[in-house]
Amino acid sequence: MKIGIVGLGYVGLPLSLQFARNGVEVVGLDIDASKVDAIRQGRSYIKHIDDTAVAEQVRGGRFWATTDFGLVKQLEAVIICVPTPLNKHREPDISFVLETGRSLAPHLARGTLVVLESTTYPGTTEDELRSVLEDGSKLRAGQDFHLAFSPEREDPANPASKVADIPKVVGGYTPQCLEKAMVLYGRAIKTLVPVSSCRVAEATKLLENIFRSVNIALVNELKVVYSAMGIDIWEVISAAKTKPFGFMPFYPGPGLGGHCIPIDPFYLTWKAREYGQHTRFIELAGEINTGMPDYVVGRVAEALNDQCKPVKGARILLLGLAYKANVDDDRESPSYVLMEKLEARGATVAYHDPHVPLIRATREHPHFAGRRSQLVSSDYDLVLISTAHDEYRQMDFSSFACPVVDTRNCVTQRPVNYYQA
């Protein structure tokens, strides 16, 4: 079997390697020439994926990369793993999916299977993507080529999470499309979960991420309430999770980050309005979560005030730029929002992150590009911990004279001026 995977990022690269390890020849397709060059050289550009994992498959001839979409005509299947962000109006932006479809369409051969893995609203695969593929290829989905949706389920930096072991939900445009997709994923994934349609598969992914968003909003709200009562939310969660049934722990933070939780719920919110439905619960959760950076900035102001210092003119060191502990993924990181808000109030903000030594250009915060990680020291007016990297859990802050504001409960050796946020 010879397949293509479009989009060699945090989803596409590990999926490519998993197929290659199982003897499938994988052609990685990406418009980013630097990623293509890295793969050709057997290098990984994602921190939690070793160079050796890429080099082994490249040397074995099972994995290679190109920017040439013309090679699609040689492939049995193509899997699309491209970004699905929100636009500036907080509405779904599926332009990457549709542009990929337009690039694939002229090269589709009869019998080819196209699978979308990018998280999106129900109907994207069988409506928008199907239309683009059919218009550009003059073929018909379900008759001349096959079409399916199978949501990605990646858990970066979790050593217990293996692509092969994570059950794969698969929905097809027709029963035969589903059958083809099941055969494809059966080559690499141990457990497959077939569902009745692409729409059900798309809705499944949204439910998974909305579940997390809503529960994180709950503990974020409780954090603020319990703090006013002098109660440590982290101690409460630790005690509550000893219950062996009816409870699942979620943890508060400075805001939501990553490509899924801050974005995906709004895909359903937007689509629901087309049907005259209002997702009030989801929107309330989003409101609470997006308000967390303001709460953190307020705690920073309180900590500085206790030292008789204003936020304006304060030198602040922010620890952790990645959205999640021990990864180099800074997409939608709340750390950027904290930097924006603190600098808007006149503070000077530096950052440290062992996994993000240099800030790359981002869609939302391009003006931060080029800043470099600084050394951790107490030579600041305040230290703000935004990401719970292992390095910070192991660090001794007890001698720090400046206040330390901890949004992740990761400081074990605490200074006198320690604050939770």
Side-chain angles (χ1 to χ4, degrees):
M1 179 177 282
K2 186 176 182 180
I3 70 170
I5 294 183
V6 183
L8 299 173
Y10 290 91
V11 174
L13 181 57
L15 185 64
S16 297
L17 295 174
Q18 181 58 37
F19 272 106
R21 281 191 290 266
N22 284 272
V24 177
E25 183 180 347
V26 180
V27 179
L29 293 153
D30 204 296
I31 60 174
D32 186 344
S34 66
K35 290 180 180 177
V36 170
D37 290 342
I39 289 169
R40 288 175 175 173
Q41 297 167 25
R43 291 189 294 105
S44 171
Y45 38 83
I46 296 177
K47 191 174 182 66
H48 63 273
I49 298 176
D50 293 333
D51 287 345
T52 53
V54 177
E56 180 182 0
Q57 302 310 320
V58 172
R59 285 197 303 266
R62 294 177 294 273
F63 181 36
W64 53 285
T66 181
T67 58
D68 182 6
F69 279 72
L71 295 174
V72 167
K73 62 174 66 74
Q74 304 173 15
L75 307 176
E76 297 176 49
V78 181
I79 301 173
I80 301 172
C81 306
V82 297
T84 46
L86 297 173
N87 64 23
K88 64 181 180 180
H89 302 296
R90 305 294 291 173
E91 296 175 339
D93 176 4
I94 62 168
S95 61
F96 294 96
V97 172
L98 299 183
E99 283 303 314
T100 298
R102 293 187 185 99
S103 298
L104 296 175
H107 311 292
L108 275 186
R110 291 183 181 274
T112 304
L113 167 66
V114 178
V115 185
L116 178 62
E117 287 212 2
S118 308
T119 306
T120 186
Y121 53 80
T124 301
T125 305
E126 57 188 58
D127 292 337
E128 284 94 333
L129 179 58
R130 178 183 61 82
S131 178
V132 165
L133 292 172
E134 290 183 344
D135 288 347
S137 67
K138 307 308 178 186
L139 302 174
R140 289 292 170 261
Q143 299 177 25
D144 305 313
F145 70 93
H146 306 288
L147 185 62
F149 182 85
S150 181
E152 58 88 3
R153 283 174 168 172
E154 269 294 307
D155 192 7
N158 179 358
S161 178
K162 307 294 184 184
V163 175
D165 298 331
I166 302 171
K168 202 87 171 73
V169 173
V170 185
Y173 180 57
T174 67
Q176 189 177 14
C177 292
L178 174 60
E179 181 182 340
K180 292 289 185 180
M182 294 285 285
V183 171
L184 168 66
Y185 284 110
R187 294 292 299 269
I189 310 298
K190 294 177 182 177
T191 303
L192 303 180
V193 184
V195 295
S196 61
S197 67
C198 297
R199 289 174 181 264
V200 170
E202 290 161 337
T204 298
K205 176 61 175 179
L206 291 179
L207 172 59
E208 293 169 8
N209 288 338
I210 290 167
F211 173 78
R212 292 169 63 194
S213 174
V214 167
N215 281 280
I216 292 170
L218 174 62
V219 292
N220 273 332
E221 185 168 66
L222 289 176
K223 171 181 69 175
V224 176
V225 173
Y226 285 160
S227 176
M229 298 178 177
I231 298 170
D232 184 344
I233 182 64
W234 296 92
E235 184 180 359
V236 172
I237 295 171
S238 180
K241 72 179 184 181
T242 62
K243 184 181 179 182
F245 56 91
F247 182 82
M248 178 182 294
F250 287 82
Y251 300 97
L256 294 182
H259 184 60
C260 293
I261 310 304
I263 294 174
D264 298 347
F266 295 104
Y267 267 64
L268 183 61
T269 292
W270 178 84
K271 189 65 175 178
R273 290 198 289 268
E274 180 182 326
Y275 295 85
Q277 301 299 311
H278 302 284
T279 54
R280 289 175 292 178
F281 205 63
I282 297 171
E283 292 175 51
L284 177 59
E287 183 180 321
I288 292 170
N289 288 327
T290 55
M292 281 302 104
D294 288 318
Y295 173 74
V296 173
V297 169
R299 291 291 284 161
V300 167
E302 290 174 19
L304 287 169
N305 188 61
D306 288 345
Q307 304 298 311
C308 300
K309 296 178 180 179
V311 174
K312 187 174 184 178
R315 297 175 62 251
I316 297 172
L317 178 65
L318 185 145
L319 302 188
L321 201 61
Y323 84 90
K324 180 182 179 182
N326 308 319
V327 303
D328 60 351
D329 189 350
D330 60 348
R331 291 176 298 174
E332 307 293 333
S333 174
S335 296
Y336 285 122
V337 180
L338 291 171
M339 290 171 67
E340 291 269 16
K341 289 181 176 294
L342 288 167
E343 292 195 348
R345 295 181 63 164
T348 300
V349 183
Y351 87 95
H352 172 272
D353 194 309
H355 306 283
V356 187
L358 174 70
I359 297 180
R360 298 158 292 189
T362 62
R363 285 189 294 270
E364 297 80 13
H365 309 283
H367 51 286
F368 288 139
R371 293 195 188 185
R372 294 185 177 275
S373 177
Q374 305 298 310
L375 294 175
V376 178
S377 78
S378 60
D379 296 331
Y380 290 86
D381 295 310
L382 182 139
V383 172
L384 171 60
I385 303 175
S386 183
T387 312
H389 290 317
D390 286 346
E391 288 85 349
Y392 306 147
R393 294 187 181 279
Q394 298 160 7
M395 198 171 288
D396 184 358
F397 291 93
S398 60
S399 63
F400 277 41
C402 68
V404 174
V405 178
D406 184 1
T407 70
R408 299 289 189 177
N409 194 44
C410 71
V411 176
T412 54
Q413 301 182 66
R414 298 175 174 177
V416 173
N417 299 310
Y418 174 80
Y419 299 79
Q420 285 190 338

